[in-house]
Amino acid sequence: MSEQASARTWLGGLAIHGRPLILATVSAGVVAGIATIAQMAFLAGIVHQGVVAEVPVQELSLLFTGLVSAILARGVAQGLQARFAARCSRKVRSEVRHQINRCWQTTGPVAIGQVSAGTLAREWLDHTDALHGYFARFLPQMILAVIVPLLILGVVFSLDWLAGIFLFLSAPLIPLFMALVGMGAEKLNQQHFQTIGRLSGQFLDKVRGLTTLQLFGQTAPAAETLRKRSDDYRRVTMKTLRIAFLSSAVLEFFASVAIAVVAIYIGFGLLGYITYGPSDDLTLFSGLLVLLLAPEFFQPLRLLSQHYHDRAAAMGAGAEIVERLQSSTDTRPAAQTGFEPQAPDIISVQDLYLAYDAERPVLDHISLEIKKGDVIALTGPSGGGKSSLLYLMAGFMQPDQGHISVFGAPAGEKPFGWLGQSPFLVHGTWADNLRLTTPDATDVAIETALRQVGLGSLLNSREQGIYSKITEDGQGLSGGQARRLSLARVFVANYDLILLDEPTAGLDSDSEIYILEALHKLARAGKTLVFATHHQALLTLANRTLLVTEGGVRDA
Amino acid sequence: MRELWPWLTLIFRRPVRLTVGGLLILATLLSGMGLLALSGWFITATALTGLLLAAGVQASLNLYVPGGGIRFFAVARTVARYAERVYNHDTVLRLLTDIRVTLFRQLSLSARRQRSALQGPQWLSRLTNDVDALDTLYLRLIAPAALAALVTAMLVIAAGVFYSQDLAIGLLVTLLPGFLIATLVVYLRTRHLVYRQTDARERLRTDVIEHVEGFAELTAAGRTGKHAALCLRQADQITSNDSRADTRTGWNLGLAQVMVNLAVVLALWMGLQLFQQGVITGPVVVLLPVALLGLLEVYSMLPDAFARLGGTLASAARLNRDCAPDTSPESDVRQVPLDSHNALELEQVTIRFGDHSPVISRFDLTVGTGEWVGIIGSSGAGKSSIAEVMAGLEKPASGNARHLPAAYLTQQTVLFEDTLKANLLIGRPDASDGELWRVLELVAMADRFTHEPAQLNTWLGSMGSQLSGGEARRIALARVMLNESPLLILDEPFTGVDAQTRDRIAAAMKQWLAGKTVVSLGHAPEALPASDRTLRLS
């Protein structure tokens, strides 16, 4: 299925999710349309009674009451339409965010870690918001652009079938209009965004290199270049826009001409110049009503053309979201079937098989038993499967075959400590960072944990202790300090099992010593530690070293 | 509203263009109203004449003037709309240029330290959005509001002149609230909902990025669900504010239209009274209410634009803040003049950021004119910080730095999306093509571009010729070497350049830069050109 088609299908699915509210929006729009017809009918009626029948205006109060009621009903229906549309968009966007969250959950930390966080956040935030216009404006208007003109056509036909035919003749043109408007709007949209994109690109490029320009004293010439480039883009864009705007001019032209033709036909009919057709029955009431309804016949279409860019925006954003959602179903881990819990004091790896490439399995039917309180070092060449084994024990990935039982439960089911290679900080205080994984940690526990990993002196230098911000003055922590902070999370949480992926790789010697000491403390406290490493000092910390290579695992 | 002021002055620097554009919109609106009003008048007149004719009374009606008028308005509306769209789109693109160029000029006067806190992709994307919000100010907000007010005033005056003063006052009493409801009231009722939206979204973006970055740790601790729920709650708060703003805008639109429609009712009621008193004819009764119906279209554009005004104000405020010129006081500490034999003197220089421990403390260095000095240090030893002080970009926290005018090759390679020539000319704007080729030869890049069809005009960057890191580095080096400053600061000049090319360039540099002072910084001696002396940072 093409990208566009799958985006369309997905948007269709979301429309089903928001169907009650879309129906409510459309219903309110239809009520507003009917109220508009009623308003025009009362208006024409009053004019007829007042001008032709010369009824005193005081005796027309009933008709005036009807007119005001129709006006009020139209206003209320419009307000309700906006309300339902806004709610629908909100509901759909919330649903999409939930879908993406579920997708991340099934994808798992390993695959998620391979996509830039900025990209994922943009999908979650901006792409989801890009669906707003489609569900709040375009989709309901697409339905209204069919229903309301049909209603008006029905009324006009009952008044004067020849005038009805004038409008009806433009009806087959409507799909043509739509195509024209669509093509024009699409072109316009692309061109507009391309220009804006290029202009922004030029501007941002100069802003990014501003220091360089300042160093060479070249900011003024750069501003001049920016102006010249922008002017060039403008001239090129305007050439295409002159054509693109023609399509909406065509719609405008047909609407104007239809009104003019209807007006002149009715006028001549009322004078009795037209001797065939239904024009003999024309009165000021029916003639004026037909005239007043003619612009309303085209109005929904004009609105639709204004909302057309919402569709393009939603399709673009939808295509990218769908691609992400589908990628998660592609890599969906096989459900663990036939899991049998093993003894609660061991980690048992049974007949584990994992292959990215069927020729060369990463783990080829390995079995292993780790006792509670063991300190295990996994070593071996890079790409040999250390990290994969660690991820499987963490439950971040599922094996192709085999089972892992961690203290009597499937891998990843009970909370455990994890220390990856890229440390993770949140904006906020030291306490925020530790409570992220252990919400009920006491102040004392937090401070103790931070001291355990050698961050005590840094903490002492901050006025508000654990409640001071981590990143003051825009200066962050060094890589080593950040990794120690992550380790402090493990200290404060009191997990039975702690998995660490290359905990000392790329650290300065100070941080390395602190990490080693901290791991030693954890080991003495009876925690089960499993780490992948090459580091000699870490290997000596372990009471068992496993060599993971060529699909097998053996004691080294 | 004050935050918008600088931008409004900028926009109104094109008064003729804005007026012409406005008049074209006015012509569109008036022909639309004229078409309907005249048609209404025509139908009523023909109906009355037709009745007289049917009753056998001699009556006649000039058909050519109104018929021609209707055809004229029908064509005029189409033409005016097309012309208006083309002309005003052109205006918007011109304003877009004005705003970007002005903003760039302001930014180039801003302090670097103030800016460095803002750099980064997130700030750049926010900057783009904020500028976009200002781009549409004229076409979406100013022009429609001004024209709606103008057309309303015209109709009220016409009612006073041709109908009665009472009717004019009646219209004013209904239309003025209608106008305010569509503009000011929408702004006031949505302001607090939209003003902080961008900030809230940026905060949420930070949280979502943290969620993704910490996904492994959160999963291990069994907290992804809780943390995701936190993000979802925030997102829901933002969407809910959007949704409330939209709903209020919708109700205001409905209410404004009710007010305009009530003006129609009033015009009809009082018009019929005037008709009965014999002041006006039947067809004229119809003229005004139908023209007023045309106002609906004008008013319907306003609420949406005014609902965004709160956000636009926030954008303007952010731009004013981020692009404010440098206000930090110039240090007027009396400087000891530089010794005439020296190109650079650093005395007890200490560099620190905030309250962190100093990156460099009490550093002394004197470099004589014409001397080549190498400085070596591991990453994080403060090389780039010293280079910035030597180039005069940063002031030391304490101590003195004096130097001749310097050209500085920053550690990060900065090339612009522009031609090769334009990139090089930044170093020396008056350099001839021959000089450019010679310096390219020197950095061993001449061959690379003699084979390009556009030669010196080859486009660099994402849209043009793709350069490798080492090639880009050499272009940046060539740019610095073109510069006529007597002192050159080169931070890691040969990043990404292979050893053989490096040696060739280093040898050629000696000749090209003879007589100049060169301070080069790098992680190892082989990463630097041959120097008279080499220092090691520890």
Side-chain angles (χ1 to χ4, degrees), chain B residues 95-134:
Chain B
L95 292 177
L96 212 102
T97 308
D98 287 352
I99 291 175
R100 278 172 178 69
V101 171
T102 308
L103 201 59
F104 177 75
R105 291 215 170 103
Q106 276 175 19
L107 271 173
S108 64
L109 295 176
S110 67
R112 183 171 164 279
R113 173 154 301 180
Q114 168 191 353
R115 218 170 52 232
S116 66
L118 296 168
Q119 293 283 10
Q122 277 195 39
W123 178 68
L124 288 175
S125 91
R126 210 194 63 204
L127 187 70
T128 314
N129 290 338
D130 285 342
V131 176
D132 286 349
L134 291 177

Short mmCIF file of all heavy atoms in Angstrom, two decimals, chain B residues 95-134:
data_model
loop_
_atom_site.label_atom_id
_atom_site.label_comp_id
_atom_site.label_asym_id
_atom_site.label_seq_id
_atom_site.Cartn_x
_atom_site.Cartn_y
_atom_site.Cartn_z
N LEU B 95 6.71 41.50 3.05
CA LEU B 95 6.78 41.72 4.49
C LEU B 95 7.63 40.65 5.15
O LEU B 95 8.39 40.91 6.08
CB LEU B 95 5.38 41.72 5.10
CG LEU B 95 4.48 42.89 4.70
CD1 LEU B 95 3.10 42.74 5.30
CD2 LEU B 95 5.09 44.20 5.16
N LEU B 96 7.47 39.44 4.62
CA LEU B 96 8.25 38.30 5.12
C LEU B 96 9.75 38.61 5.03
O LEU B 96 10.50 38.37 5.97
CB LEU B 96 7.93 37.15 4.18
CG LEU B 96 7.90 35.73 4.63
CD1 LEU B 96 6.44 35.35 4.79
CD2 LEU B 96 8.46 34.86 3.55
N THR B 97 10.16 39.16 3.89
CA THR B 97 11.56 39.54 3.71
C THR B 97 11.94 40.64 4.69
O THR B 97 12.96 40.54 5.38
CB THR B 97 11.79 40.05 2.27
OG1 THR B 97 11.28 39.07 1.38
CG2 THR B 97 13.24 40.28 2.01
N ASP B 98 11.10 41.68 4.76
CA ASP B 98 11.39 42.80 5.66
C ASP B 98 11.63 42.30 7.08
O ASP B 98 12.60 42.67 7.74
CB ASP B 98 10.20 43.78 5.70
CG ASP B 98 10.12 44.57 4.42
OD1 ASP B 98 11.05 44.46 3.60
OD2 ASP B 98 9.12 45.29 4.23
N ILE B 99 10.70 41.45 7.54
CA ILE B 99 10.77 41.00 8.93
C ILE B 99 12.03 40.19 9.16
O ILE B 99 12.75 40.39 10.14
CB ILE B 99 9.51 40.19 9.29
CG1 ILE B 99 8.30 41.12 9.31
CG2 ILE B 99 9.67 39.51 10.63
CD1 ILE B 99 6.99 40.44 9.53
N ARG B 100 12.35 39.29 8.22
CA ARG B 100 13.53 38.46 8.41
C ARG B 100 14.81 39.27 8.38
O ARG B 100 15.71 39.07 9.19
CB ARG B 100 13.57 37.34 7.38
CG ARG B 100 12.70 36.18 7.79
CD ARG B 100 12.58 35.16 6.69
NE ARG B 100 11.77 34.04 7.11
CZ ARG B 100 10.46 34.12 7.34
NH1 ARG B 100 9.84 35.26 7.21
NH2 ARG B 100 9.79 33.05 7.71
N VAL B 101 14.89 40.21 7.44
CA VAL B 101 16.12 41.01 7.34
C VAL B 101 16.30 41.87 8.58
O VAL B 101 17.39 41.94 9.16
CB VAL B 101 16.10 41.87 6.05
CG1 VAL B 101 17.24 42.85 6.05
CG2 VAL B 101 16.18 40.98 4.83
N THR B 102 15.20 42.51 9.03
CA THR B 102 15.28 43.33 10.23
C THR B 102 15.70 42.51 11.44
O THR B 102 16.57 42.90 12.22
CB THR B 102 13.91 43.98 10.51
OG1 THR B 102 13.48 44.63 9.34
CG2 THR B 102 14.00 44.96 11.65
N LEU B 103 15.07 41.35 11.55
CA LEU B 103 15.37 40.48 12.68
C LEU B 103 16.83 40.07 12.66
O LEU B 103 17.51 40.05 13.69
CB LEU B 103 14.48 39.24 12.57
CG LEU B 103 14.26 38.45 13.83
CD1 LEU B 103 13.63 39.34 14.88
CD2 LEU B 103 13.34 37.29 13.54
N PHE B 104 17.33 39.77 11.47
CA PHE B 104 18.72 39.35 11.35
C PHE B 104 19.65 40.48 11.76
O PHE B 104 20.63 40.26 12.47
CB PHE B 104 19.01 38.91 9.91
CG PHE B 104 20.44 38.53 9.70
CD1 PHE B 104 20.91 37.32 10.19
CD2 PHE B 104 21.33 39.37 9.07
CE1 PHE B 104 22.22 36.96 10.03
CE2 PHE B 104 22.65 39.03 8.91
CZ PHE B 104 23.10 37.82 9.39
N ARG B 105 19.32 41.71 11.32
CA ARG B 105 20.16 42.86 11.70
C ARG B 105 20.17 43.02 13.21
O ARG B 105 21.21 43.29 13.81
CB ARG B 105 19.62 44.14 11.06
CG ARG B 105 19.80 44.15 9.56
CD ARG B 105 20.10 45.55 9.03
NE ARG B 105 20.51 45.45 7.64
CZ ARG B 105 19.71 45.75 6.60
NH1 ARG B 105 18.50 46.20 6.82
NH2 ARG B 105 20.15 45.62 5.38
N GLN B 106 19.00 42.85 13.83
CA GLN B 106 18.94 42.98 15.29
C GLN B 106 19.76 41.91 15.98
O GLN B 106 20.50 42.18 16.92
CB GLN B 106 17.50 42.89 15.77
CG GLN B 106 16.78 44.21 15.68
CD GLN B 106 15.33 44.06 16.05
OE1 GLN B 106 14.94 43.09 16.70
NE2 GLN B 106 14.53 45.02 15.65
N LEU B 107 19.61 40.69 15.48
CA LEU B 107 20.34 39.57 16.09
C LEU B 107 21.84 39.81 15.97
O LEU B 107 22.60 39.46 16.87
CB LEU B 107 19.98 38.27 15.39
CG LEU B 107 18.79 37.52 15.94
CD1 LEU B 107 18.46 36.34 15.05
CD2 LEU B 107 19.10 37.01 17.35
N SER B 108 22.27 40.39 14.84
CA SER B 108 23.71 40.54 14.66
C SER B 108 24.27 41.61 15.60
O SER B 108 25.47 41.70 15.78
CB SER B 108 24.03 40.86 13.20
OG SER B 108 23.47 42.10 12.85
N LEU B 109 23.38 42.41 16.22
CA LEU B 109 23.85 43.37 17.20
C LEU B 109 23.77 42.81 18.62
O LEU B 109 24.24 43.43 19.56
CB LEU B 109 23.01 44.65 17.14
CG LEU B 109 23.12 45.45 15.84
CD1 LEU B 109 22.16 46.62 15.87
CD2 LEU B 109 24.54 45.93 15.64
N SER B 110 23.14 41.64 18.76
CA SER B 110 22.92 41.11 20.11
C SER B 110 24.20 40.50 20.65
O SER B 110 25.10 40.15 19.90
CB SER B 110 21.80 40.07 20.09
OG SER B 110 22.24 38.96 19.36
N ALA B 111 24.25 40.41 21.96
CA ALA B 111 25.45 39.87 22.60
C ALA B 111 25.53 38.38 22.34
O ALA B 111 24.54 37.68 22.32
CB ALA B 111 25.39 40.14 24.09
N ARG B 112 26.74 37.90 22.13
CA ARG B 112 26.91 36.51 21.78
C ARG B 112 26.55 35.60 22.95
O ARG B 112 25.92 34.56 22.78
CB ARG B 112 28.35 36.27 21.36
CG ARG B 112 28.58 34.85 20.92
CD ARG B 112 29.93 34.70 20.31
NE ARG B 112 30.25 33.30 20.26
CZ ARG B 112 30.71 32.63 21.28
NH1 ARG B 112 30.93 33.25 22.42
NH2 ARG B 112 30.98 31.34 21.18
N ARG B 113 26.92 36.03 24.15
CA ARG B 113 26.65 35.17 25.31
C ARG B 113 25.16 34.98 25.50
O ARG B 113 24.68 33.89 25.77
CB ARG B 113 27.28 35.77 26.56
CG ARG B 113 26.87 34.99 27.78
CD ARG B 113 27.81 35.04 28.92
NE ARG B 113 29.14 34.55 28.64
CZ ARG B 113 30.10 34.53 29.55
NH1 ARG B 113 29.87 34.99 30.74
NH2 ARG B 113 31.29 34.08 29.26
N GLN B 114 24.43 36.09 25.29
CA GLN B 114 22.97 36.04 25.43
C GLN B 114 22.40 35.08 24.39
O GLN B 114 21.47 34.33 24.64
CB GLN B 114 22.48 37.46 25.22
CG GLN B 114 21.00 37.63 25.03
CD GLN B 114 20.72 39.06 24.56
OE1 GLN B 114 21.61 39.90 24.52
NE2 GLN B 114 19.50 39.32 24.19
N ARG B 115 23.00 35.09 23.19
CA ARG B 115 22.50 34.26 22.13
C ARG B 115 22.86 32.79 22.33
O ARG B 115 22.11 31.90 21.99
CB ARG B 115 23.07 34.74 20.80
CG ARG B 115 22.11 34.68 19.68
CD ARG B 115 22.68 35.40 18.47
NE ARG B 115 23.99 34.94 18.12
CZ ARG B 115 25.03 35.75 17.94
NH1 ARG B 115 24.89 37.03 18.11
NH2 ARG B 115 26.20 35.26 17.61
N SER B 116 24.05 32.57 22.90
CA SER B 116 24.52 31.19 22.98
C SER B 116 23.61 30.34 23.86
O SER B 116 23.50 29.14 23.69
CB SER B 116 25.96 31.15 23.50
OG SER B 116 25.97 31.60 24.83
N ALA B 117 22.91 31.01 24.79
CA ALA B 117 21.96 30.26 25.62
C ALA B 117 20.77 29.82 24.77
O ALA B 117 20.02 28.95 25.15
CB ALA B 117 21.47 31.15 26.75
N LEU B 118 20.59 30.46 23.61
CA LEU B 118 19.40 30.20 22.82
C LEU B 118 19.64 29.29 21.63
O LEU B 118 18.71 28.75 21.07
CB LEU B 118 18.85 31.53 22.30
CG LEU B 118 18.37 32.50 23.36
CD1 LEU B 118 18.13 33.85 22.75
CD2 LEU B 118 17.11 31.97 24.00
N GLN B 119 20.89 29.19 21.19
CA GLN B 119 21.16 28.41 19.98
C GLN B 119 20.56 27.01 20.09
O GLN B 119 20.01 26.65 21.10
CB GLN B 119 22.67 28.31 19.73
CG GLN B 119 23.32 29.64 19.40
CD GLN B 119 23.07 30.08 17.97
OE1 GLN B 119 22.28 29.49 17.27
NE2 GLN B 119 23.75 31.12 17.54
N GLY B 120 20.67 26.25 19.04
CA GLY B 120 20.14 24.89 19.09
C GLY B 120 18.88 24.78 18.26
O GLY B 120 18.20 25.77 18.05
N PRO B 121 18.60 23.57 17.79
CA PRO B 121 17.49 23.37 16.84
C PRO B 121 16.14 23.80 17.40
O PRO B 121 15.30 24.32 16.68
CB PRO B 121 17.52 21.87 16.56
CG PRO B 121 18.38 21.27 17.61
CD PRO B 121 19.31 22.33 18.09
N GLN B 122 15.94 23.62 18.71
CA GLN B 122 14.62 23.97 19.26
C GLN B 122 14.38 25.45 19.20
O GLN B 122 13.29 25.91 18.86
CB GLN B 122 14.52 23.48 20.70
CG GLN B 122 14.14 22.05 20.78
CD GLN B 122 13.69 21.70 22.18
OE1 GLN B 122 13.02 22.47 22.84
NE2 GLN B 122 14.06 20.53 22.63
N TRP B 123 15.43 26.22 19.54
CA TRP B 123 15.27 27.66 19.50
C TRP B 123 15.04 28.12 18.07
O TRP B 123 14.19 28.95 17.80
CB TRP B 123 16.50 28.36 20.08
CG TRP B 123 16.37 29.85 20.01
CD1 TRP B 123 15.50 30.62 20.72
CD2 TRP B 123 17.10 30.73 19.16
NE1 TRP B 123 15.65 31.94 20.35
CE2 TRP B 123 16.63 32.04 19.41
CE3 TRP B 123 18.12 30.55 18.21
CZ2 TRP B 123 17.14 33.14 18.75
CZ3 TRP B 123 18.62 31.66 17.56
CH2 TRP B 123 18.13 32.94 17.83
N LEU B 124 15.79 27.53 17.14
CA LEU B 124 15.66 27.93 15.74
C LEU B 124 14.26 27.65 15.23
O LEU B 124 13.67 28.46 14.51
CB LEU B 124 16.71 27.22 14.89
CG LEU B 124 18.13 27.72 15.11
CD1 LEU B 124 19.12 26.87 14.33
CD2 LEU B 124 18.28 29.17 14.71
N SER B 125 13.68 26.50 15.61
CA SER B 125 12.34 26.19 15.11
C SER B 125 11.31 27.10 15.75
O SER B 125 10.33 27.50 15.12
CB SER B 125 12.02 24.72 15.31
OG SER B 125 11.38 24.52 16.53
N ARG B 126 11.54 27.47 17.01
CA ARG B 126 10.60 28.39 17.65
C ARG B 126 10.68 29.77 17.01
O ARG B 126 9.69 30.44 16.78
CB ARG B 126 10.91 28.49 19.14
CG ARG B 126 9.68 28.78 19.97
CD ARG B 126 10.06 29.20 21.36
NE ARG B 126 10.81 30.44 21.30
CZ ARG B 126 11.65 30.83 22.24
NH1 ARG B 126 11.87 30.08 23.29
NH2 ARG B 126 12.29 31.96 22.13
N LEU B 127 11.91 30.16 16.69
CA LEU B 127 12.12 31.44 16.01
C LEU B 127 11.35 31.48 14.70
O LEU B 127 10.65 32.44 14.39
CB LEU B 127 13.63 31.62 15.75
CG LEU B 127 14.08 32.96 15.20
CD1 LEU B 127 13.94 34.04 16.24
CD2 LEU B 127 15.53 32.88 14.74
N THR B 128 11.45 30.37 13.95
CA THR B 128 10.72 30.29 12.67
C THR B 128 9.23 30.47 12.90
O THR B 128 8.57 31.23 12.20
CB THR B 128 10.97 28.91 12.03
OG1 THR B 128 12.35 28.63 12.12
CG2 THR B 128 10.55 28.91 10.59
N ASN B 129 8.68 29.76 13.89
CA ASN B 129 7.24 29.85 14.14
C ASN B 129 6.83 31.26 14.55
O ASN B 129 5.79 31.76 14.13
CB ASN B 129 6.83 28.86 15.24
CG ASN B 129 6.93 27.44 14.75
OD1 ASN B 129 6.89 27.20 13.55
ND2 ASN B 129 7.08 26.51 15.66
N ASP B 130 7.66 31.88 15.38
CA ASP B 130 7.33 33.22 15.85
C ASP B 130 7.33 34.21 14.68
O ASP B 130 6.47 35.08 14.61
CB ASP B 130 8.32 33.67 16.92
CG ASP B 130 8.05 32.98 18.25
OD1 ASP B 130 6.94 32.44 18.40
OD2 ASP B 130 8.94 32.97 19.11
N VAL B 131 8.32 34.06 13.80
CA VAL B 131 8.37 34.96 12.65
C VAL B 131 7.15 34.73 11.75
O VAL B 131 6.53 35.67 11.28
CB VAL B 131 9.68 34.76 11.86
CG1 VAL B 131 9.67 35.62 10.62
CG2 VAL B 131 10.87 35.13 12.72
N ASP B 132 6.78 33.47 11.56
CA ASP B 132 5.61 33.16 10.74
C ASP B 132 4.35 33.82 11.30
O ASP B 132 3.49 34.28 10.55
CB ASP B 132 5.38 31.64 10.66
CG ASP B 132 6.40 30.99 9.75
OD1 ASP B 132 7.10 31.74 9.04
OD2 ASP B 132 6.50 29.75 9.75
N ALA B 133 4.24 33.85 12.62
CA ALA B 133 3.06 34.46 13.24
C ALA B 133 2.97 35.93 12.87
O ALA B 133 1.88 36.46 12.66
CB ALA B 133 3.12 34.30 14.76
N LEU B 134 4.11 36.60 12.75
CA LEU B 134 4.10 38.03 12.42
C LEU B 134 3.85 38.27 10.93
O LEU B 134 3.28 39.29 10.55
CB LEU B 134 5.42 38.66 12.83
CG LEU B 134 5.65 38.77 14.33
CD1 LEU B 134 7.02 39.33 14.61
CD2 LEU B 134 4.59 39.64 14.97
#
